[in-house]
Amino acid sequence: HACRIVADVCHALYYAHSRRDLDGTPLEIVHRDVSPQNVLIGFVGQVKLVDFGIAKAAGKLAQTRAGMLKGKYAYISPEQVQGKVADPRSDVFSTGLVLYELLTGRRPFERDTGVDTLKAIVQDRPIDPRDYNPEIPHSVVRVLSRAMEKEPDRRYPDAQEMAGDLEDTLNQTQDAGTHSQLADYMNKVFGAELNAQGGTLLIRGLTEVAVAAAAQDFDGFFARDA
């Protein structure tokens, strides 16, 4: 289900990234705030990426002041931390962080303070996600490692290619991965609340999830959990 959700986020990002105006000029839209709060899942299995409020587009009249950080600290890219220009690969990095959190219940770079979080995004390797969830397939770890590269040139060149790798993984599984299966899961998890509240559900917060640890073996990309 996590791969289905993030694959759809990638499709939405690629749609935004590839938009052009009526003259065919690229709009150069970058979301810059890809985070779990901005990913909505409907009860028929649809996934929506919302809140382009701080998105950067080439034609905007008001440009962000140089050096001003945008987005939630735990989900921004190294180049955003360093005040560099954010392109679509910045959104790819943030999407990798969302996938990591969906699979492990942990934010890979979150520290005790905002400053330490920003330093970790630029300097630290993430803990191998299989240390938290040993059931993550090797193919998905490979997607994470490429999406979360510090250097933009080493990441996926666009969100469509990341989506393709996730779709390949989904095509190899039978028990999850389709929108109808995601809809069944949503109704299974929230069905009682929906029935009790007449079809309306207000979610006030989410609980952290952690699972048993496993050994690291992925090319030294990830750090080990102390």
Side-chain angles (χ1 to χ4, degrees):
H1 294 317
C3 290
R4 173 73 276 147
I5 292 165
V6 173
D8 284 0
V9 169
C10 288
H11 290 308
L13 283 172
Y14 184 72
Y15 176 85
H17 294 160
S18 60
R19 290 304 84 200
R20 296 173 178 268
D21 65 17
L22 295 177
D23 296 325
T25 302
L27 293 175
E28 298 181 9
I29 296 171
V30 183
H31 189 286
R32 298 201 299 176
D33 195 19
V34 179
S35 58
Q37 295 91 330
N38 289 334
V39 178
L40 306 183
I41 307 169
F43 287 95
V44 295
Q46 82 275 33
V47 178
K48 304 287 186 181
L49 177 64
V50 301
D51 197 358
F52 278 76
I54 65 169
K56 173 259 183 183
K60 287 180 64 176
L61 294 177
Q63 297 295 329
T64 302
R65 181 162 50 88
M68 181 182 296
L69 284 174
K70 290 291 188 178
K72 300 172 182 69
Y73 279 5
Y75 303 98
I76 63 178
S77 66
E79 55 269 31
Q80 286 176 280
V81 176
Q82 296 168 327
K84 299 177 181 178
V85 175
D87 64 22
R89 295 170 299 179
S90 180
D91 285 345
V92 167
F93 183 90
S94 299
T95 305
L97 302 186
V98 172
L99 179 58
Y100 186 106
E101 184 173 353
L102 282 172
L103 293 167
T104 67
R106 308 293 184 96
R107 295 172 181 167
F109 299 114
E110 187 172 56
R111 303 294 187 263
D112 291 338
T113 68
V115 171
D116 288 339
T117 296
L118 297 178
K119 288 181 179 179
I121 288 171
V122 174
Q123 300 174 359
D124 294 354
R125 290 185 299 162
I127 300 299
D128 190 318
R130 290 165 299 182
D131 282 7
Y132 303 125
N133 181 358
E135 296 183 4
I136 300 174
H138 181 84
S139 58
V140 178
V141 176
R142 185 169 60 247
V143 171
L144 283 170
S145 67
R146 188 174 181 190
M148 295 166 59
E149 285 281 0
K150 304 291 188 185
E151 293 296 328
D153 289 343
R154 296 176 61 86
R155 291 178 211 146
Y156 287 100
D158 55 57
Q160 185 178 48
E161 188 169 333
M162 181 177 174
D165 282 352
L166 290 171
E167 298 285 4
D168 287 344
T169 294
L170 290 168
N171 290 335
Q172 298 170 16
T173 183
Q174 300 296 320
D175 57 351
T178 68
H179 292 101
S180 61
Q181 288 166 324
L182 181 58
D184 290 343
Y185 176 78
M186 290 291 292
N187 283 278
K188 178 181 178 180
V189 172
F190 298 108
E193 290 92 336
L194 283 169
N195 291 333
Q197 301 183 39
T200 302
L201 178 62
L202 175 63
I203 300 176
R204 298 185 181 278
L206 297 176
T207 301
E208 184 182 67
V209 177
V211 294
Q216 172 195 13
D217 62 0
F218 195 78
D219 301 333
F221 177 84
F222 295 102
R224 296 303 304 275
D225 184 11

